[in-house]
Amino acid sequence: MDRRQFVQNGIALALASTVAPAFAQTASGAKWPTKPVRLIVPFPGGSAPDVIVRHVAQVLGEKWKQTAIVDNRPGGSGVIGLNNLLTSPVDDHTFAFTQGSAISIVPRTIKNIPFNIERDFVPVSFSMLAPLVLAVPVDSPYKSVQQFIDAAKARPGALPVADVGVYSYPHLAGEFFGLNANVKFLHIHFTGGPPAIQATIGGHTEAVIEGMGPILPFVQSGRLRVLGSFGSEPYPGLEKVELISKSAPKTVIDGWFATIARKGTSASVIERLNADINQAMDAPEVQRALKEQVLFARKGPPSDLKKWIDDENAKWGVVMDRLGIKPE
């Protein structure tokens, strides 16, 4: 079954936890929540973002004296989860905590998805960033990003770089990197981070692009070395890692996660949930989990998330056009 069939079958399937209540008020003075709040999560239970969401949900539930239910709806690169939000009632109690790729990438790579981000959803709260890095085997001859670029120029289209799947953030980060460095890599797609990382450790590929969280254990065990970060600035703990944008200007890419709602959700509820999530990200248990997963809290009002989404959409629109990538 190819990727398009898998996604379409998942969409078809998509279509076919409690505490005694006590209430807080929204900015308008209305009591909210008045029933359990459902957070749709478009990725599997036990994944890094799912772990964070569950800690946040626990903090929110304790604050509200009302359950925050984490409802995992993985599959279809996020399409299953966002379609579930689309088909849920606009009841001020249903939201989605989603990966950025489902918002900025998927609509440009998959035909006939059932939702339109701008038409159907509104931003609620930025939540976190996930550092994306370029890593090589510990005994790799490449000691800098520029050396890696030079090697790719000497072997046009032949230097193998592993990623976690076609049109994933790591894949497109590699394509964007190549465009800005004026080189062409040989992109090798795997079905997730573990096989991509193992292929690189085993010498089958010369580098891997993946989140710092999955890479870190292999850095600590002395099997991988981080060559460069795709971040706009050094992340805490990665201050000594070279920014890829220094050798390939404008190559800035962050994995990101955010909460969105159906259009029509009360503005006062969005304002209240935004404030509560921002506060929850500072909770000690959430901060511990973020550190363990090598993720970083990103807070701010809904307008900040809206600007981020607009900027991401503009960036990826240009990149997709340059690469000739169209929905399929």
Side-chain angles (χ1 to χ4, degrees), residues 87-107:
T87 56
S88 297
V90 183
D91 62 357
D92 287 349
H93 288 74
T94 306
F95 308 89
F97 181 94
T98 184
Q99 64 270 53
S101 58
I103 293 174
S104 299
I105 301 300
V106 167

Side-chain angles (χ1 to χ4, degrees), residues 46-223:
S47 60
D50 174 75
V51 169
I52 305 301
V53 175
R54 290 182 182 276
H55 281 289
V56 171
Q58 180 68 28
V59 173
L60 293 175
E62 291 172 358
K63 178 181 180 64
W64 296 333
K65 301 298 186 291
Q66 183 66 265
T67 306
I69 301 169
V70 176
D71 185 1
N72 296 93
R73 301 285 178 137
S77 301
V79 172
I80 304 299
L82 293 193
N83 186 64
N84 188 263
L85 177 61
L86 178 70
T87 56
S88 297
V90 183
D91 62 357
D92 287 349
H93 288 74
T94 306
F95 308 89
F97 181 94
T98 184
Q99 64 270 53
S101 58
I103 293 174
S104 299
I105 301 300
V106 167
R108 290 175 168 80
T109 59
I110 300 175
K111 274 186 178 179
N112 302 321
I113 60 173
F115 53 80
N116 177 286
I117 296 297
E118 291 189 5
R119 180 193 67 208
D120 298 319
F121 304 128
V122 292
V124 175
S125 178
F126 221 128
S127 297
M128 57 193 184
L129 296 174
L132 201 61
V133 297
L134 174 71
V136 296
V138 71
D139 58 356
S140 169
Y142 311 124
K143 305 302 182 184
S144 70
V145 173
Q146 189 58 55
Q147 287 183 1
F148 192 75
I149 292 171
D150 292 342
K153 288 182 176 178
R155 300 160 56 190
L159 195 155
V161 178
D163 61 54
V164 303
V166 65
Y167 299 153
S168 64
Y169 251 37
H171 168 213
L172 292 172
E175 295 279 12
F176 191 31
F177 177 21
L179 286 175
N180 291 333
N182 197 29
V183 298
K184 181 65 178 176
F185 302 115
L186 175 61
H187 296 277
I188 309 296
H189 310 303
F190 291 86
T191 56
I197 291 169
Q198 290 300 330
T200 303
I201 291 172
H204 303 292
T205 62
E206 295 196 34
V208 58
I209 298 174
E210 175 57 306
M212 187 62 201
I215 293 290
L216 182 60
F218 301 95
V219 173
Q220 293 172 331
S221 65
R223 286 178 283 178

Side-chain angles (χ1 to χ4, degrees), residues 139-327:
D139 58 356
S140 169
Y142 311 124
K143 305 302 182 184
S144 70
V145 173
Q146 189 58 55
Q147 287 183 1
F148 192 75
I149 292 171
D150 292 342
K153 288 182 176 178
R155 300 160 56 190
L159 195 155
V161 178
D163 61 54
V164 303
V166 65
Y167 299 153
S168 64
Y169 251 37
H171 168 213
L172 292 172
E175 295 279 12
F176 191 31
F177 177 21
L179 286 175
N180 291 333
N182 197 29
V183 298
K184 181 65 178 176
F185 302 115
L186 175 61
H187 296 277
I188 309 296
H189 310 303
F190 291 86
T191 56
I197 291 169
Q198 290 300 330
T200 303
I201 291 172
H204 303 292
T205 62
E206 295 196 34
V208 58
I209 298 174
E210 175 57 306
M212 187 62 201
I215 293 290
L216 182 60
F218 301 95
V219 173
Q220 293 172 331
S221 65
R223 286 178 283 178
L224 288 177
R225 174 162 44 85
V226 177
L227 197 62
S229 167
F230 286 88
S232 58
E233 57 186 31
Y235 282 96
L238 299 177
E239 291 88 352
K240 295 182 180 179
V241 175
E242 180 183 351
L243 295 179
I244 288 174
S245 59
K246 290 186 176 180
S247 298
K250 300 183 180 179
T251 308
V252 176
I253 301 166
D254 292 292
W256 56 282
F257 300 85
T259 302
I260 61 174
R262 281 281 307 278
K263 187 161 283 189
T265 299
S266 301
S268 59
V269 168
I270 290 174
E271 182 179 351
R272 169 67 196 280
L273 181 57
N274 171 272
D276 288 351
I277 290 176
N278 284 339
Q279 186 178 44
M281 298 306 290
D282 287 331
E285 56 268 48
V286 175
Q287 286 292 313
R288 282 194 298 269
L290 287 166
K291 185 175 182 179
E292 290 171 359
Q293 302 294 337
V294 197
L295 298 167
F296 296 89
R298 169 72 183 255
K299 300 182 293 183
S303 58
D304 282 1
L305 176 57
K306 174 65 165 61
K307 184 180 185 306
W308 179 277
I309 291 173
D310 289 345
D311 290 347
E312 285 286 289
N313 286 341
K315 175 175 71 181
W316 288 115
V318 171
V319 173
M320 299 294 191
D321 287 346
R322 289 177 67 187
L323 293 171
I325 295 174
K326 300 185 181 301

